[in-house]
Amino acid sequence: KNLGDIGRVGPSLGSFSVSAKVLEALCDEFKEELTAKDGKLDTDPHFWMPLTLPQEEYISLMSQKGVAEDESRTHHIRMTKMKESFLAANPELGLFGAVDVGSDACWWDYGQLKLYIANNLKLAENGADADLLRRFFGVTSRVMDSEVEGVTIDESSCVFACKAKSGSVGAHSAMAAVQAEEIQIGDDAIVVNCAAKKIVAGKGAVLYNLVIESEEGIVAEDGDVLVSVTDVDGKSMLLRSKIDVCGGQAWKKVLDGNTVSFEDVHKQNRDADITVIEQKRKELYKKASDSFNL
């Protein structure tokens, strides 16, 4: 009731900038969490919303996200105190401003699994938005830089920088940097940076950064999400999820098929050198793909 008259609703504030002073204030306020590298906060529910909404309305909206009232109230009070201190120390500055990008701007967000899926599959869609996305990524053909002569590929799918000798790719799927002797890719599946002798991905499955040298290769059922996390020693851990699981809500949970939570993985790798990890992963990928009969 205190939100005022709403004329239009736009996308969330996934694209924004902050001043050095605002960044400094945030670093000071959350110094304890940053030092411990503990917890998880998102810009919309934990930054913009408590700064711009009345307390009760904030609590009401957060309850729709499954957040307890006491937790929301405590966070709103904390952010309100930070806001008051910041404005008192910087009276010449405003707090919040917006730039109207218009209602027809493209908005390709990859920050959540459901959006990662939607915008990767958009490469295989038709329409003005999909055309612009392909243009942005330099896509001039549905199959590019690939050696897949023995693979039956649905005309609606996209295959980039892949090598495979046999198999099939279903409708509206997207593949990139995949090497395998045989692939069986279902409709609406996404396979990225994967190497295995055989890759089977069910309808809507998502496979990412998997390097498997076993004879059976990679097998994913409909709706499976399989991701490999590599550490600085080159050891890989397989994480499993489902396309209908929200990673934020399941952040602290150990999902079926896993031995650790997403938060545990984050803690284990928070100080890791990602340049070293990427080099290790490339070496593993090359070693595996070189062993295939391609």
Side-chain angles (χ1 to χ4, degrees):
K1 64 183 179 180
N2 292 326
L3 296 179
D5 296 328
I6 301 176
R8 290 187 300 169
V9 176
S12 64
L13 297 171
S15 177
F16 64 91
S17 61
V18 296
S19 68
K21 289 187 176 182
V22 168
L23 183 59
E24 183 179 0
L26 287 169
C27 288
D28 287 342
E29 178 62 37
F30 294 95
K31 178 170 57 178
E32 182 177 334
E33 289 89 343
L34 290 170
T35 300
K37 294 186 178 180
D38 186 37
K40 178 179 179 293
L41 298 175
D42 294 317
T43 52
D44 283 351
H46 300 115
F47 184 31
W48 299 119
M49 288 171 61
L51 283 181
T52 58
L53 289 174
Q55 186 179 112
E56 293 306 317
E57 280 66 22
Y58 174 70
I59 292 171
S60 175
L61 290 173
M62 291 300 287
S63 69
Q64 298 174 28
K65 298 176 178 288
V67 180
E69 178 178 336
D70 288 346
E71 182 179 343
S72 297
R73 189 180 305 280
T74 299
H75 185 71
H76 191 280
I77 291 172
R78 181 182 187 181
M79 294 301 290
T80 298
K81 289 181 178 178
M82 189 201 83
K83 176 174 67 175
E84 292 172 348
S85 297
F86 176 80
L87 292 176
N90 302 276
E92 76 284 2
L93 296 180
L95 178 67
F96 177 84
V99 176
D100 187 357
V101 297
S103 59
D104 298 322
C106 294
W107 193 266
W108 305 315
D109 190 339
Y110 294 82
Q112 299 178 36
L113 176 60
K114 64 180 180 180
L115 298 176
Y116 176 86
I117 293 172
N119 286 311
N120 273 297
L121 294 183
K122 190 180 290 291
L123 288 167
E125 294 177 3
N126 296 314
D129 195 45
D131 289 343
L132 287 170
L133 182 63
R134 285 189 287 270
R135 181 179 177 183
F136 178 81
F137 283 117
V139 175
T140 56
S141 173
R142 293 296 177 110
V143 179
M144 296 179 63
D145 303 320
S146 297
E147 299 177 21
V148 288
E149 288 75 11
V151 179
T152 302
I153 301 173
D154 188 274
E155 63 181 10
S156 66
S157 291
C158 292
V159 176
F160 310 126
C162 295
K163 285 185 179 182
K165 293 182 66 177
S166 63
S168 63
V169 179
H172 309 108
S173 294
M175 296 176 57
V178 173
Q179 296 204 21
E181 293 182 8
E182 179 186 352
I183 57 175
Q184 299 293 340
I185 310 302
D187 298 346
D188 304 313
I190 298 172
V191 186
V192 177
N193 292 344
C194 292
K197 284 190 174 182
K198 183 176 181 179
I199 299 177
V200 178
K203 178 180 174 61
V206 178
L207 310 181
Y208 185 76
N209 273 6
L210 301 173
V211 177
I212 306 294
E213 295 188 70
S214 64
E215 289 295 326
E216 59 270 22
I218 301 168
V219 179
E221 303 295 335
D222 293 356
D224 277 353
V225 178
L226 303 183
V227 177
S228 180
V229 179
T230 303
D231 63 20
V232 293
D233 296 321
K235 297 178 181 178
S236 295
M237 175 191 299
L238 179 65
L239 290 179
R240 297 178 177 272
S241 187
K242 288 285 188 178
I243 58 175
D244 57 356
V245 171
C246 172
Q249 294 179 359
W251 183 248
K252 295 178 179 292
K253 299 178 181 178
V254 179
L255 300 181
D256 290 343
N258 296 336
T259 58
V260 294
S261 68
F262 298 139
E263 182 180 50
D264 292 333
V265 175
H266 168 71
K267 288 180 178 179
Q268 291 170 10
N269 292 276
R270 60 191 179 188
D271 295 321
D273 188 330
I274 59 173
T275 58
V276 172
I277 291 175
E278 179 61 14
Q279 183 59 39
K280 291 286 186 181
R281 203 201 67 78
K282 287 180 178 179
E283 292 171 0
L284 293 171
Y285 182 94
K286 187 177 187 305
K287 178 176 178 290
S289 58
D290 285 349
S291 70
F292 305 152
N293 184 24
L294 295 175

